[in-house]
């Protein structure tokens, strides 16, 4: 049992070392406003493996430290959880095409957008919704993120699937 637990905990790190970081989705052109808010108006995929990531929350970080009521620490930890799920499926955060973000206080909205820019440095931002909620299922939670990833898709900027992308290629 101990070896099984160790394998489960180490697998995402070991597997992640061998995964390609490139995405295979086509990200539609963004307006200046969409770029400033770090989201895409649409992400086109065709084929590939779809990973539906359940809503992720965190009140403890990877070291077991309490991060209750700490928005930034929870955001980083939740993104780490999503990345771990994606790595177990054969991808990474670079394969996220859509996310729904729930925050407890609207004052965190702009900070989340700035943090999201760091999580998707290539500018291929997922389609996204940012929603303020009254509360979460457990005390101390400040953010929850639900995501969809696509691994091994055939669409990309170089091989567009959208009418917009194909027209630009001509």
């Amino acid at each position: 049992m101990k070896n099984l637990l160790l394998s489960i905990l180490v697998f995402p790190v070991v597997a992640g070392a061998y995964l390609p970081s490139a995405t295979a989705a086509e990200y539609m052109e963004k307006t200046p406003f969409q770029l400033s808010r770090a989201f895409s108006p649409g992400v086109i995929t065709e084929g590939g493996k779809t990973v539906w990531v359940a809503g992720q929350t965190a009140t403890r970080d990877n070291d077991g430290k309490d991060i209750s009521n700490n928005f930034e620490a929870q955001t980083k930890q939740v993104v780490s959880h999503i990345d771990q799920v994606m790595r177990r499926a054969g991808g990474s955060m670079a394969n996220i095409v859509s996310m729904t973000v729930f925050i407890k206080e609207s004052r965190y909205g702009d900070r989340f957008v700035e943090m999201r820019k760091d999580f998707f440095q290539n500018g291929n931002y997922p389609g996204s919704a940012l929603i303020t909620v009254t509360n979460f299922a457990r005390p101390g939670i400040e953010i929850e993120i639900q995501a969809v990833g696509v691994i091994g898709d055939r669409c990309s900027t170089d091989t567009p699937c959208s009418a917009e992308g194909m027209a630009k290629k001509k």
Side-chain angles (χ1 to χ4, degrees):
M1 182 66 167
K2 187 176 185 180
N3 287 340
L4 175 63
L5 181 58
L6 182 60
S7 296
I8 291 170
L9 294 174
V10 172
F11 175 73
V13 174
V14 173
Y18 300 103
L19 294 174
S21 62
T23 63
E26 179 186 352
Y27 294 80
M28 297 183 83
E29 190 172 327
K30 297 159 213 52
T31 65
F33 173 75
Q34 291 161 342
L35 281 170
S36 76
R37 299 300 294 172
F39 76 93
S40 293
V43 181
I44 297 99
T45 64
E46 187 173 299
K49 175 176 31 177
T50 304
V51 182
W52 303 88
V53 182
Q56 301 291 311
T57 63
T59 54
R60 299 223 169 256
D61 66 14
N62 285 332
D63 297 324
K65 180 182 170 198
D66 184 6
I67 56 172
S68 296
N69 304 308
N70 183 331
F71 178 79
E72 288 192 22
Q74 286 185 23
T75 300
K76 290 175 186 172
Q77 188 62 47
V78 165
V79 168
S80 174
H81 289 325
I82 293 169
D83 188 52
Q84 289 171 22
V85 169
M86 291 302 297
R87 288 184 185 280
R88 289 173 54 201
S92 70
M93 280 299 290
N95 297 102
I96 298 297
V97 297
S98 179
M99 60 174 29
T100 305
V101 182
F102 303 94
I103 57 176
K104 193 168 156 184
E105 296 185 41
S106 60
R107 67 185 171 108
Y108 295 143
D110 289 340
R111 181 63 188 129
F112 175 77
V113 168
E114 290 306 311
M115 293 177 79
R116 179 167 48 200
K117 289 177 184 177
D118 291 336
F119 304 138
F120 299 96
Q121 294 181 358
N122 61 5
N124 289 337
Y125 304 121
S128 184
L130 180 58
I131 303 164
T132 304
V133 297
T134 304
N135 222 331
F136 289 103
R138 291 188 331 250
I141 295 175
E142 299 294 326
I143 185 169
E144 180 171 349
I145 302 176
Q146 179 178 314
V148 178
V150 178
I151 302 165
D153 188 78
R154 77 168 196 87
C155 301
S156 69
T157 303
D158 295 331
T159 312
C161 296
S162 70
E164 174 184 277
M166 287 188 274
K168 286 182 181 178
K169 282 289 267 198
K170 291 181 180 180

